Amino acid sequence: MSPTLQTRLDAESCYRAVKSRDRRFDGVFYTAVRTTGIYCRPSCPARTPGFHNVTFHPSAASAQAAGYRACKRCLPDATPGSPDWDVAATAAGRAMRLIADGVVDREGVEGLAGRVGYTSRHLGRILTSELGAGPLALARARRAQTARILIETTDLTYADIAFAAGFSSVRQFNETVREVYASSPTDLRGRRGGRPATGTVVMRLAVRTPYAGRQLLDFLALRAVPGVEAAGEGWYARTLALPHGSGTVRLDIPDEPRPQQTAFVTAAFRLEDLRDISAATERVRRLLDADCDPVAVGDAFAGDPVIGPLVRQWPGLRVPGHVDGHEVAVRAVLGQQVSVAGARTVAGRLAARYGRPLAQPVDGLTHLFPDAATLAALDPEDLPMPRSRGRALIALCAALASGAIALDRGPDRDDVRRALLELPGIGPWTADYIALRALGHPDVFLPSDLGIRDALVRLGRDPAAAARLADAWRPWRSYAQLYLWQTHPTKEP
């Protein structure tokens, strides 16, 4: 590992986390053990190695590049991702989100670099400095992780798994699995045979606890667009527009209000093309805010007289993300100055009229949400909304369809916000709501939001002082926003 990485990952602090088996650091760094040649998560239950025998790595790919293989006991790559990627939103963090979405597999390193806004050579230097591995190694580690999950949790044949995980050949798949896990695919599966691909894959997605799953589900269910989304007791389902085709996902969301072992959301994907499994998984993880560190968020609000009591009432509250940034942006415009029910009704009408129908409807899901190009081609006069809002929606969709504005978490967030504010009819509330849900920004606050103002009144605070109060909630203002909304969850958009 480079001296820069060793300095950034303070060895003494990392080793204390390993000795205490602190689960909060799972996915934040990895422990490589010289004497065994393996790397583990910090909470690995195995005997703690001696300090002089370990090194620490910021990514699984970094440990693999140094010649270590994954521990079979703690499965270090089956952890939530690092929350630092969204908190800092550096070029490395934005690139990691895109790599997880499969951009390197689809567009190569040049495509990844273009989305982040750097040359491929400079991006390689950044990733090697920050994460200990270049984009190809990071993408390879991601493919290996996806392959292992599919091997152990599905009955797909190995050939289907190889191509679903993003490998170009079965041979490459076999070699990578053996190198990373020191086991063949057959050993990982335990001699259990496979069946030809059916397009349905069931996976378990790890989330840190505490996890306020019930509140997250309530948020999503209240805004569910008919035909595009559906929800019931303990579950949520929606359609997915993916790089190689369409699909659906049904999520069984647990409610884990106490810190304990890692919780799991069961995700059942039905995909037209299994090559989309990595992209679908990453987008659902964004929706669930699966990589959040709820303990760090709770600790930051522990002494706050406004948010502190709310954190104790609803520990582990998450900021609901989204599977499609373009859809969030459109729905944010639809939600301007109208109720939740009103925005949902208009969105449902647009989906029924302009969304692409699914070939096989399931769970009440019938359509994909209309894409930006389709909506950009409409006449504002034909939209079921005030003319000025219709013009704003068309202008936004035109910018999204042309690529002038990208909401895939690749560009710098501040640049995206400035570009949004330059569009007619897009004000600070709309731009910040898009940043909150589409860009995964952990430090956004909407002081003019009606739900926030009402919440502060109920808590005995002056709503005119909302922006000043929020300064004390950095860098987690997005979570403060959700806690305030939670006091009256039907008020926010």
Side-chain angles (χ1 to χ4, degrees), residues 372-458:
T374 298
L375 295 177
L378 300 179
D379 186 330
E381 300 283 347
D382 297 332
L383 295 174
M385 61 190 70
R387 189 175 304 171
S388 60
R389 193 179 308 156
R391 288 195 295 267
L393 180 63
I394 298 301
L396 170 65
C397 290
L400 295 173
S402 68
I405 296 176
L407 300 177
D408 58 7
R409 301 199 181 189
D412 180 81
R413 290 167 177 161
D414 292 336
D415 292 343
V416 172
R417 187 178 191 275
R418 282 191 291 269
L420 286 169
L421 291 175
E422 290 175 358
L423 297 175
I426 304 297
W429 182 94
T430 304
D432 287 338
Y433 184 79
I434 292 171
L436 181 84
R437 297 200 60 197
L439 304 182
H441 200 320
D443 195 30
V444 171
F445 193 72
L446 285 64
S448 63
D449 181 80
L450 180 60
I452 293 300
R453 298 176 70 84
D454 287 349
L456 290 175
V457 170
R458 287 193 298 274

Side-chain angles (χ1 to χ4, degrees), residues 86-159:
D86 281 338
V87 176
T90 61
R94 302 198 308 273
M96 281 298 294
R97 291 298 186 201
L98 295 175
I99 290 171
D101 195 64
V103 168
V104 172
D105 298 333
R106 297 191 300 271
E107 304 175 21
V109 175
E110 290 289 343
L112 173 68
R115 288 184 181 233
V116 180
Y118 292 92
T119 65
S120 57
R121 179 176 297 180
H122 186 53
L123 179 61
R125 286 195 293 265
I126 291 173
L127 291 175
T128 301
S129 173
E130 292 286 325
L131 298 170
L136 289 176
L138 291 164
R140 175 178 178 269
R142 186 70 181 187
R143 286 194 294 271
Q145 176 188 0
T146 300
R148 183 194 59 76
I149 294 172
L150 293 175
I151 289 168
E152 295 182 344
T153 63
T154 75
D155 288 328
L156 298 179
T157 64
Y158 298 129

Side-chain angles (χ1 to χ4, degrees), residues 101-435:
D101 195 64
V103 168
V104 172
D105 298 333
R106 297 191 300 271
E107 304 175 21
V109 175
E110 290 289 343
L112 173 68
R115 288 184 181 233
V116 180
Y118 292 92
T119 65
S120 57
R121 179 176 297 180
H122 186 53
L123 179 61
R125 286 195 293 265
I126 291 173
L127 291 175
T128 301
S129 173
E130 292 286 325
L131 298 170
L136 289 176
L138 291 164
R140 175 178 178 269
R142 186 70 181 187
R143 286 194 294 271
Q145 176 188 0
T146 300
R148 183 194 59 76
I149 294 172
L150 293 175
I151 289 168
E152 295 182 344
T153 63
T154 75
D155 288 328
L156 298 179
T157 64
Y158 298 129
D160 289 327
I161 290 172
F163 294 110
F167 291 98
S168 59
S169 69
V170 175
R171 179 179 178 180
Q172 184 189 60
F173 157 73
N174 284 324
E175 290 176 350
T176 300
V177 169
R178 287 180 181 276
E179 183 177 342
V180 173
Y181 299 110
S183 297
S184 68
T186 301
D187 292 333
L188 289 177
R189 178 166 275 178
R191 306 293 173 181
R192 178 168 49 89
R195 296 196 299 268
T198 62
T200 301
V201 178
V202 180
M203 302 175 67
R204 295 196 312 163
L205 309 180
V207 296
R208 292 183 176 87
T209 57
Y211 191 78
R214 182 177 303 168
Q215 284 72 34
L216 176 70
L217 181 58
D218 289 345
F219 184 101
L220 297 174
L222 184 65
R223 292 154 189 78
V225 176
V228 176
E229 300 170 284
E233 183 63 33
W235 65 271
Y236 166 82
R238 68 157 293 127
T239 58
L240 301 170
L242 298 164
H244 298 101
S246 63
T248 65
V249 63
R250 176 181 167 122
L251 303 172
D252 292 323
I253 302 177
D255 189 46
E256 299 287 352
R258 294 178 300 278
Q260 49 182 304
Q261 296 184 355
T262 301
F264 293 93
V265 174
T266 300
F269 296 97
R270 293 173 59 91
L271 307 176
E272 289 183 350
D273 192 321
L274 284 177
R275 290 177 296 173
D276 283 326
I277 191 63
S278 292
T281 302
E282 171 61 15
R283 295 176 193 192
V284 168
R285 292 188 63 81
R286 298 176 192 171
L287 174 73
L288 298 169
D289 196 13
D291 295 336
C292 166
D293 183 351
V295 175
V297 174
D299 288 347
F301 294 137
D304 187 86
V306 179
I307 306 299
L310 304 181
V311 174
R312 290 188 288 274
Q313 184 176 355
W314 297 296
L317 200 65
R318 295 303 207 267
V319 174
H322 212 280
V323 298
D324 188 334
H326 291 187
E327 181 181 327
V328 168
V330 170
R331 291 172 64 170
V333 173
L334 298 181
Q336 291 176 347
Q337 299 178 341
V338 299
S339 67
V340 173
R344 174 182 172 179
T345 299
V346 174
R349 291 174 183 169
L350 289 178
R353 185 170 182 181
Y354 302 110
R356 181 160 62 89
L358 292 183
Q360 295 181 325
V362 60
D363 284 335
L365 306 177
T366 59
H367 290 75
L368 297 175
F369 195 82
D371 60 66
T374 298
L375 295 177
L378 300 179
D379 186 330
E381 300 283 347
D382 297 332
L383 295 174
M385 61 190 70
R387 189 175 304 171
S388 60
R389 193 179 308 156
R391 288 195 295 267
L393 180 63
I394 298 301
L396 170 65
C397 290
L400 295 173
S402 68
I405 296 176
L407 300 177
D408 58 7
R409 301 199 181 189
D412 180 81
R413 290 167 177 161
D414 292 336
D415 292 343
V416 172
R417 187 178 191 275
R418 282 191 291 269
L420 286 169
L421 291 175
E422 290 175 358
L423 297 175
I426 304 297
W429 182 94
T430 304
D432 287 338
Y433 184 79
I434 292 171

Side-chain angles (χ1 to χ4, degrees), residues 34-56:
R34 295 189 184 94
T35 52
T36 61
I38 65 173
Y39 68 93
C40 304
R41 63 170 76 185
S43 66
C44 182
R47 177 181 175 183
T48 303
F51 179 77
H52 59 284
N53 286 327
V54 298
T55 55
F56 302 102

